[in-house]
mmCIF file of all heavy atoms in Angstrom:
data_model
loop_
_atom_site.group_PDB
_atom_site.id
_atom_site.type_symbol
_atom_site.label_atom_id
_atom_site.label_comp_id
_atom_site.label_asym_id
_atom_site.label_seq_id
_atom_site.Cartn_x
_atom_site.Cartn_y
_atom_site.Cartn_z
ATOM 1 N N PRO A 1 0.804 -1.226 0.000
ATOM 2 C CA PRO A 1 0.000 0.000 0.000
ATOM 3 C C PRO A 1 0.835 1.274 0.000
ATOM 4 O O PRO A 1 0.329 2.344 -0.369
ATOM 5 C CB PRO A 1 -0.831 -0.124 1.281
ATOM 6 C CG PRO A 1 -0.066 -1.065 2.147
ATOM 7 C CD PRO A 1 0.599 -2.026 1.218
ATOM 8 N N ASP A 2 2.104 1.174 0.385
ATOM 9 C CA ASP A 2 2.957 2.361 0.415
ATOM 10 C C ASP A 2 3.883 2.462 -0.791
ATOM 11 O O ASP A 2 4.756 3.340 -0.849
ATOM 12 C CB ASP A 2 3.799 2.361 1.699
ATOM 13 C CG ASP A 2 2.938 2.442 2.952
ATOM 14 O OD1 ASP A 2 1.900 3.133 2.901
ATOM 15 O OD2 ASP A 2 3.283 1.798 3.964
ATOM 16 N N SER A 3 3.710 1.576 -1.763
ATOM 17 C CA SER A 3 4.541 1.623 -2.960
ATOM 18 C C SER A 3 4.295 2.928 -3.716
ATOM 19 O O SER A 3 3.193 3.493 -3.681
ATOM 20 C CB SER A 3 4.234 0.440 -3.881
ATOM 21 O OG SER A 3 4.601 -0.775 -3.277
ATOM 22 N N VAL A 4 5.317 3.392 -4.388
ATOM 23 C CA VAL A 4 5.232 4.616 -5.182
ATOM 24 C C VAL A 4 5.707 4.304 -6.595
ATOM 25 O O VAL A 4 6.816 3.769 -6.763
ATOM 26 C CB VAL A 4 6.087 5.741 -4.570
ATOM 27 C CG1 VAL A 4 6.008 7.001 -5.436
ATOM 28 C CG2 VAL A 4 5.628 6.053 -3.152
ATOM 29 N N PRO A 5 4.865 4.653 -7.581
ATOM 30 C CA PRO A 5 3.506 5.193 -7.509
ATOM 31 C C PRO A 5 2.545 4.244 -6.769
ATOM 32 O O PRO A 5 2.794 3.038 -6.687
ATOM 33 C CB PRO A 5 3.097 5.340 -8.974
ATOM 34 C CG PRO A 5 4.376 5.385 -9.743
ATOM 35 C CD PRO A 5 5.313 4.478 -8.999
ATOM 36 N N ARG A 6 1.466 4.800 -6.270
ATOM 37 C CA ARG A 6 0.494 4.013 -5.512
ATOM 38 C C ARG A 6 -0.181 2.975 -6.398
ATOM 39 O O ARG A 6 -0.404 3.205 -7.585
ATOM 40 C CB ARG A 6 -0.584 4.927 -4.921
ATOM 41 C CG ARG A 6 -0.047 6.014 -3.997
ATOM 42 C CD ARG A 6 0.415 5.445 -2.687
ATOM 43 N NE ARG A 6 0.843 6.514 -1.783
ATOM 44 C CZ ARG A 6 1.398 6.307 -0.589
ATOM 45 N NH1 ARG A 6 1.593 5.069 -0.177
ATOM 46 N NH2 ARG A 6 1.757 7.325 0.164
ATOM 47 N N LEU A 7 -0.507 1.863 -5.784
ATOM 48 C CA LEU A 7 -1.212 0.791 -6.500
ATOM 49 C C LEU A 7 -2.665 0.752 -6.037
ATOM 50 O O LEU A 7 -2.943 0.463 -4.866
ATOM 51 C CB LEU A 7 -0.537 -0.560 -6.244
ATOM 52 C CG LEU A 7 0.869 -0.721 -6.832
ATOM 53 C CD1 LEU A 7 1.484 -2.052 -6.396
ATOM 54 C CD2 LEU A 7 0.829 -0.631 -8.349
ATOM 55 N N TYR A 8 -3.564 1.055 -6.964
ATOM 56 C CA TYR A 8 -4.989 1.051 -6.662
ATOM 57 C C TYR A 8 -5.683 -0.102 -7.392
ATOM 58 O O TYR A 8 -5.121 -0.735 -8.281
ATOM 59 C CB TYR A 8 -5.622 2.381 -7.081
ATOM 60 C CG TYR A 8 -5.096 3.573 -6.329
ATOM 61 C CD1 TYR A 8 -4.239 4.476 -6.947
ATOM 62 C CD2 TYR A 8 -5.464 3.805 -5.008
ATOM 63 C CE1 TYR A 8 -3.745 5.584 -6.262
ATOM 64 C CE2 TYR A 8 -4.980 4.906 -4.312
ATOM 65 C CZ TYR A 8 -4.119 5.790 -4.943
ATOM 66 O OH TYR A 8 -3.629 6.879 -4.270
ATOM 67 N N SER A 9 -6.929 -0.322 -7.008
ATOM 68 C CA SER A 9 -7.738 -1.357 -7.641
ATOM 69 C C SER A 9 -7.763 -1.183 -9.155
ATOM 70 O O SER A 9 -7.874 -0.067 -9.674
ATOM 71 C CB SER A 9 -9.160 -1.297 -7.084
ATOM 72 O OG SER A 9 -10.052 -2.031 -7.895
ATOM 73 N N SER A 10 -7.676 -2.286 -9.891
ATOM 74 C CA SER A 10 -7.717 -2.235 -11.355
ATOM 75 C C SER A 10 -9.025 -1.660 -11.872
ATOM 76 O O SER A 10 -9.060 -1.002 -12.920
ATOM 77 C CB SER A 10 -7.529 -3.643 -11.934
ATOM 78 O OG SER A 10 -6.308 -4.209 -11.528
ATOM 79 N N ARG A 11 -10.099 -1.885 -11.133
ATOM 80 C CA ARG A 11 -11.417 -1.446 -11.610
ATOM 81 C C ARG A 11 -11.470 0.060 -11.827
ATOM 82 O O ARG A 11 -12.194 0.554 -12.685
ATOM 83 C CB ARG A 11 -12.499 -1.879 -10.630
ATOM 84 C CG ARG A 11 -12.704 -3.381 -10.539
ATOM 85 C CD ARG A 11 -13.924 -3.733 -9.691
ATOM 86 N NE ARG A 11 -13.786 -3.265 -8.320
ATOM 87 C CZ ARG A 11 -13.187 -3.934 -7.346
ATOM 88 N NH1 ARG A 11 -12.646 -5.116 -7.605
ATOM 89 N NH2 ARG A 11 -13.123 -3.440 -6.122
ATOM 90 N N GLY A 12 -10.699 0.807 -11.030
ATOM 91 C CA GLY A 12 -10.713 2.254 -11.151
ATOM 92 C C GLY A 12 -10.087 2.771 -12.427
ATOM 93 O O GLY A 12 -10.282 3.932 -12.799
ATOM 94 N N TYR A 13 -9.333 1.923 -13.117
ATOM 95 C CA TYR A 13 -8.684 2.336 -14.360
ATOM 96 C C TYR A 13 -9.513 2.010 -15.598
ATOM 97 O O TYR A 13 -9.181 2.444 -16.701
ATOM 98 C CB TYR A 13 -7.309 1.668 -14.486
ATOM 99 C CG TYR A 13 -6.329 2.111 -13.428
ATOM 100 C CD1 TYR A 13 -6.055 1.310 -12.328
ATOM 101 C CD2 TYR A 13 -5.681 3.337 -13.530
ATOM 102 C CE1 TYR A 13 -5.155 1.718 -11.350
ATOM 103 C CE2 TYR A 13 -4.783 3.749 -12.562
ATOM 104 C CZ TYR A 13 -4.524 2.939 -11.460
ATOM 105 O OH TYR A 13 -3.644 3.348 -10.503
ATOM 106 N N LEU A 14 -10.562 1.231 -15.407
ATOM 107 C CA LEU A 14 -11.380 0.812 -16.546
ATOM 108 C C LEU A 14 -12.541 1.775 -16.746
ATOM 109 O O LEU A 14 -13.069 2.352 -15.791
ATOM 110 C CB LEU A 14 -11.898 -0.611 -16.337
ATOM 111 C CG LEU A 14 -10.812 -1.667 -16.101
ATOM 112 C CD1 LEU A 14 -11.445 -3.032 -15.885
ATOM 113 C CD2 LEU A 14 -9.837 -1.714 -17.274
ATOM 114 N N THR A 15 -12.958 1.954 -17.973
ATOM 115 C CA THR A 15 -14.042 2.885 -18.284
ATOM 116 C C THR A 15 -15.354 2.373 -17.726
ATOM 117 O O THR A 15 -15.727 1.211 -17.942
ATOM 118 C CB THR A 15 -14.165 3.062 -19.809
ATOM 119 O OG1 THR A 15 -12.915 3.536 -20.301
ATOM 120 C CG2 THR A 15 -15.253 4.059 -20.146
ATOM 121 N N HIS A 16 -16.071 3.238 -17.012
ATOM 122 C CA HIS A 16 -17.352 2.843 -16.407
ATOM 123 C C HIS A 16 -18.531 3.536 -17.065
ATOM 124 O O HIS A 16 -19.600 2.967 -17.214
ATOM 125 C CB HIS A 16 -17.355 3.177 -14.909
ATOM 126 C CG HIS A 16 -16.303 2.468 -14.125
ATOM 127 N ND1 HIS A 16 -16.375 1.131 -13.812
ATOM 128 C CD2 HIS A 16 -15.138 2.909 -13.601
ATOM 129 C CE1 HIS A 16 -15.306 0.768 -13.129
ATOM 130 N NE2 HIS A 16 -14.535 1.840 -12.976
ATOM 131 N N GLN A 17 -18.375 4.781 -17.454
ATOM 132 C CA GLN A 17 -19.484 5.546 -17.998
ATOM 133 C C GLN A 17 -19.834 5.073 -19.396
ATOM 134 O O GLN A 17 -18.960 4.858 -20.230
ATOM 135 C CB GLN A 17 -19.113 7.030 -18.033
ATOM 136 C CG GLN A 17 -20.265 7.925 -18.488
ATOM 137 C CD GLN A 17 -19.900 9.393 -18.403
ATOM 138 O OE1 GLN A 17 -18.824 9.730 -17.945
ATOM 139 N NE2 GLN A 17 -20.788 10.253 -18.852
ATOM 140 N N GLY A 18 -21.111 4.912 -19.658
ATOM 141 C CA GLY A 18 -21.542 4.499 -20.984
ATOM 142 C C GLY A 18 -21.250 5.559 -22.020
ATOM 143 O O GLY A 18 -21.164 6.755 -21.705
ATOM 144 N N PRO A 19 -21.096 5.151 -23.275
ATOM 145 C CA PRO A 19 -20.781 6.110 -24.329
ATOM 146 C C PRO A 19 -21.948 7.052 -24.609
ATOM 147 O O PRO A 19 -23.110 6.712 -24.397
ATOM 148 C CB PRO A 19 -20.493 5.215 -25.542
ATOM 149 C CG PRO A 19 -21.244 3.949 -25.256
ATOM 150 C CD PRO A 19 -21.207 3.775 -23.768
ATOM 151 N N ALA A 20 -21.625 8.254 -25.056
ATOM 152 C CA ALA A 20 -22.660 9.226 -25.387
ATOM 153 C C ALA A 20 -23.492 8.719 -26.561
ATOM 154 O O ALA A 20 -22.985 8.068 -27.467
ATOM 155 C CB ALA A 20 -22.014 10.564 -25.730
ATOM 156 N N ARG A 21 -24.780 9.023 -26.531
ATOM 157 C CA ARG A 21 -25.668 8.599 -27.604
ATOM 158 C C ARG A 21 -25.576 9.592 -28.765
ATOM 159 O O ARG A 21 -25.832 10.786 -28.581
ATOM 160 C CB ARG A 21 -27.102 8.512 -27.091
ATOM 161 C CG ARG A 21 -28.113 8.128 -28.164
ATOM 162 C CD ARG A 21 -29.503 8.009 -27.620
ATOM 163 N NE ARG A 21 -29.689 6.792 -26.856
ATOM 164 C CZ ARG A 21 -30.883 6.324 -26.503
ATOM 165 N NH1 ARG A 21 -31.988 6.963 -26.861
ATOM 166 N NH2 ARG A 21 -30.983 5.218 -25.799
ATOM 167 N N PRO A 22 -25.198 9.130 -29.955
ATOM 168 C CA PRO A 22 -25.072 10.055 -31.096
ATOM 169 C C PRO A 22 -26.435 10.444 -31.649
ATOM 170 O O PRO A 22 -27.451 9.795 -31.386
ATOM 171 C CB PRO A 22 -24.280 9.229 -32.106
ATOM 172 C CG PRO A 22 -24.666 7.819 -31.807
ATOM 173 C CD PRO A 22 -24.858 7.760 -30.317
ATOM 174 N N ASP A 23 -26.441 11.488 -32.427
ATOM 175 C CA ASP A 23 -27.658 11.931 -33.104
ATOM 176 C C ASP A 23 -27.856 11.063 -34.343
ATOM 177 O O ASP A 23 -27.077 11.124 -35.292
ATOM 178 C CB ASP A 23 -27.522 13.400 -33.491
ATOM 179 C CG ASP A 23 -28.794 13.957 -34.133
ATOM 180 O OD1 ASP A 23 -29.745 13.178 -34.358
ATOM 181 O OD2 ASP A 23 -28.820 15.165 -34.421
ATOM 182 N N MET A 24 -28.908 10.269 -34.337
ATOM 183 C CA MET A 24 -29.172 9.350 -35.445
ATOM 184 C C MET A 24 -30.432 9.731 -36.219
ATOM 185 O O MET A 24 -30.969 8.931 -36.981
ATOM 186 C CB MET A 24 -29.303 7.920 -34.915
ATOM 187 C CG MET A 24 -28.071 7.395 -34.190
ATOM 188 S SD MET A 24 -26.614 7.271 -35.253
ATOM 189 C CE MET A 24 -27.038 5.836 -36.253
ATOM 190 N N ALA A 25 -30.879 10.974 -36.069
ATOM 191 C CA ALA A 25 -32.118 11.387 -36.736
ATOM 192 C C ALA A 25 -31.986 11.319 -38.249
ATOM 193 O O ALA A 25 -32.897 10.845 -38.950
ATOM 194 C CB ALA A 25 -32.491 12.806 -36.289
ATOM 195 N N ALA A 26 -30.869 11.789 -38.780
ATOM 196 C CA ALA A 26 -30.692 11.778 -40.233
ATOM 197 C C ALA A 26 -30.604 10.350 -40.767
ATOM 198 O O ALA A 26 -31.118 10.049 -41.857
ATOM 199 C CB ALA A 26 -29.435 12.569 -40.615
ATOM 200 N N THR A 27 -29.964 9.471 -40.003
ATOM 201 C CA THR A 27 -29.877 8.068 -40.423
ATOM 202 C C THR A 27 -31.254 7.424 -40.434
ATOM 203 O O THR A 27 -31.594 6.666 -41.351
ATOM 204 C CB THR A 27 -28.930 7.299 -39.487
ATOM 205 O OG1 THR A 27 -27.653 7.931 -39.485
ATOM 206 C CG2 THR A 27 -28.778 5.856 -39.926
ATOM 207 N N ALA A 28 -32.037 7.706 -39.402
ATOM 208 C CA ALA A 28 -33.393 7.162 -39.352
ATOM 209 C C ALA A 28 -34.208 7.641 -40.553
ATOM 210 O O ALA A 28 -34.940 6.858 -41.184
ATOM 211 C CB ALA A 28 -34.078 7.568 -38.046
ATOM 212 N N GLU A 29 -34.072 8.917 -40.892
ATOM 213 C CA GLU A 29 -34.817 9.453 -42.038
ATOM 214 C C GLU A 29 -34.347 8.794 -43.333
ATOM 215 O O GLU A 29 -35.149 8.504 -44.225
ATOM 216 C CB GLU A 29 -34.630 10.969 -42.105
ATOM 217 C CG GLU A 29 -35.379 11.640 -43.244
ATOM 218 C CD GLU A 29 -36.896 11.471 -43.158
ATOM 219 O OE1 GLU A 29 -37.417 11.092 -42.075
ATOM 220 O OE2 GLU A 29 -37.569 11.705 -44.181
ATOM 221 N N ALA A 30 -33.050 8.535 -43.434
ATOM 222 C CA ALA A 30 -32.529 7.869 -44.627
ATOM 223 C C ALA A 30 -33.124 6.478 -44.779
ATOM 224 O O ALA A 30 -33.471 6.050 -45.891
ATOM 225 C CB ALA A 30 -31.006 7.792 -44.561
ATOM 226 N N LEU A 31 -33.258 5.747 -43.677
ATOM 227 C CA LEU A 31 -33.821 4.396 -43.734
ATOM 228 C C LEU A 31 -35.327 4.426 -43.988
ATOM 229 O O LEU A 31 -35.878 3.494 -44.579
ATOM 230 C CB LEU A 31 -33.519 3.647 -42.432
ATOM 231 C CG LEU A 31 -32.046 3.328 -42.186
ATOM 232 C CD1 LEU A 31 -31.856 2.657 -40.827
ATOM 233 C CD2 LEU A 31 -31.482 2.430 -43.285
ATOM 234 N N ARG A 32 -35.995 5.496 -43.567
ATOM 235 C CA ARG A 32 -37.423 5.612 -43.832
ATOM 236 C C ARG A 32 -37.702 5.889 -45.302
ATOM 237 O O ARG A 32 -38.664 5.381 -45.876
ATOM 238 C CB ARG A 32 -38.032 6.735 -42.969
ATOM 239 C CG ARG A 32 -38.406 6.331 -41.556
ATOM 240 C CD ARG A 32 -39.235 7.417 -40.877
ATOM 241 N NE ARG A 32 -38.450 8.604 -40.591
ATOM 242 C CZ ARG A 32 -37.821 8.849 -39.440
ATOM 243 N NH1 ARG A 32 -37.902 7.972 -38.456
ATOM 244 N NH2 ARG A 32 -37.138 9.959 -39.273
ATOM 245 N N THR A 33 -36.850 6.677 -45.932
ATOM 246 C CA THR A 33 -37.157 7.170 -47.280
ATOM 247 C C THR A 33 -36.438 6.430 -48.399
ATOM 248 O O THR A 33 -36.782 6.619 -49.575
ATOM 249 C CB THR A 33 -36.806 8.666 -47.375
ATOM 250 O OG1 THR A 33 -35.414 8.843 -47.080
ATOM 251 C CG2 THR A 33 -37.630 9.472 -46.376
ATOM 252 N N ALA A 34 -35.452 5.613 -48.067
ATOM 253 C CA ALA A 34 -34.705 4.898 -49.111
ATOM 254 C C ALA A 34 -35.612 3.934 -49.860
ATOM 255 O O ALA A 34 -36.539 3.347 -49.291
ATOM 256 C CB ALA A 34 -33.535 4.147 -48.489
ATOM 257 N N SER A 35 -35.329 3.745 -51.121
ATOM 258 C CA SER A 35 -36.114 2.773 -51.894
ATOM 259 C C SER A 35 -35.557 1.364 -51.742
ATOM 260 O O SER A 35 -36.306 0.387 -51.830
ATOM 261 C CB SER A 35 -36.129 3.170 -53.370
ATOM 262 O OG SER A 35 -34.811 3.214 -53.890
ATOM 263 N N ALA A 36 -34.235 1.264 -51.510
ATOM 264 C CA ALA A 36 -33.623 -0.067 -51.380
ATOM 265 C C ALA A 36 -32.478 -0.007 -50.358
ATOM 266 O O ALA A 36 -31.310 -0.120 -50.715
ATOM 267 C CB ALA A 36 -33.118 -0.559 -52.725
ATOM 268 N N PRO A 37 -32.804 0.136 -49.070
ATOM 269 C CA PRO A 37 -31.747 0.184 -48.059
ATOM 270 C C PRO A 37 -31.218 -1.212 -47.738
ATOM 271 O O PRO A 37 -31.926 -2.212 -47.859
ATOM 272 C CB PRO A 37 -32.462 0.775 -46.844
ATOM 273 C CG PRO A 37 -33.874 0.298 -46.987
ATOM 274 C CD PRO A 37 -34.134 0.270 -48.470
ATOM 275 N N VAL A 38 -29.954 -1.268 -47.352
ATOM 276 C CA VAL A 38 -29.323 -2.517 -46.927
ATOM 277 C C VAL A 38 -28.546 -2.246 -45.642
ATOM 278 O O VAL A 38 -27.875 -1.211 -45.516
ATOM 279 C CB VAL A 38 -28.376 -3.074 -48.009
ATOM 280 C CG1 VAL A 38 -27.479 -4.176 -47.452
ATOM 281 C CG2 VAL A 38 -29.169 -3.607 -49.196
ATOM 282 N N LEU A 39 -28.650 -3.168 -44.681
ATOM 283 C CA LEU A 39 -27.855 -3.109 -43.457
ATOM 284 C C LEU A 39 -26.629 -4.002 -43.651
ATOM 285 O O LEU A 39 -26.769 -5.188 -43.929
ATOM 286 C CB LEU A 39 -28.666 -3.593 -42.257
ATOM 287 C CG LEU A 39 -30.029 -2.919 -42.043
ATOM 288 C CD1 LEU A 39 -30.724 -3.514 -40.818
ATOM 289 C CD2 LEU A 39 -29.872 -1.410 -41.908
ATOM 290 N N LEU A 40 -25.452 -3.423 -43.527
ATOM 291 C CA LEU A 40 -24.198 -4.144 -43.738
ATOM 292 C C LEU A 40 -23.513 -4.319 -42.386
ATOM 293 O O LEU A 40 -23.082 -3.340 -41.767
ATOM 294 C CB LEU A 40 -23.315 -3.363 -44.719
ATOM 295 C CG LEU A 40 -22.044 -4.027 -45.241
ATOM 296 C CD1 LEU A 40 -21.583 -3.329 -46.519
ATOM 297 C CD2 LEU A 40 -20.918 -4.018 -44.219
ATOM 298 N N ALA A 41 -23.402 -5.564 -41.924
ATOM 299 C CA ALA A 41 -22.876 -5.855 -40.584
ATOM 300 C C ALA A 41 -21.488 -6.464 -40.675
ATOM 301 O O ALA A 41 -21.285 -7.499 -41.324
ATOM 302 C CB ALA A 41 -23.819 -6.802 -39.843
ATOM 303 N N GLY A 42 -20.525 -5.838 -40.006
ATOM 304 C CA GLY A 42 -19.166 -6.362 -39.947
ATOM 305 C C GLY A 42 -18.868 -7.004 -38.612
ATOM 306 O O GLY A 42 -19.745 -7.152 -37.748
ATOM 307 N N GLY A 43 -17.617 -7.368 -38.420
ATOM 308 C CA GLY A 43 -17.216 -7.998 -37.177
ATOM 309 C C GLY A 43 -17.384 -7.107 -35.968
ATOM 310 O O GLY A 43 -17.462 -7.588 -34.834
ATOM 311 N N GLY A 44 -17.453 -5.780 -36.187
ATOM 312 C CA GLY A 44 -17.664 -4.865 -35.072
ATOM 313 C C GLY A 44 -18.992 -5.071 -34.374
ATOM 314 O O GLY A 44 -19.140 -4.710 -33.196
ATOM 315 N N VAL A 45 -19.970 -5.648 -35.064
ATOM 316 C CA VAL A 45 -21.254 -5.950 -34.420
ATOM 317 C C VAL A 45 -21.050 -6.975 -33.306
ATOM 318 O O VAL A 45 -21.624 -6.856 -32.215
ATOM 319 C CB VAL A 45 -22.275 -6.458 -35.465
ATOM 320 C CG1 VAL A 45 -23.538 -6.986 -34.792
ATOM 321 C CG2 VAL A 45 -22.605 -5.347 -36.454
#
């Protein structure tokens, strides 16, 4: 506990807050009005 630099719990270094929600209004409108929309899913899904 007296080591320098201090050693704290690993959990405190990991991101906890959820990501901000982007504005998807234009995307929604594009999917509503497109004549032939396609959803393309990559490994990121």
Side-chain angles (χ1 to χ4, degrees):
D2 297 325
S3 294
V4 179
R6 301 288 184 185
L7 293 175
Y8 296 107
S9 165
S10 301
R11 293 188 299 274
Y13 295 102
L14 303 179
T15 302
H16 299 286
Q17 185 175 356
R21 178 178 285 194
D23 183 355
M24 300 297 287
T27 303
E29 181 62 16
L31 293 177
R32 276 191 290 267
T33 59
S35 60
V38 167
L39 307 180
L40 189 161
V45 171

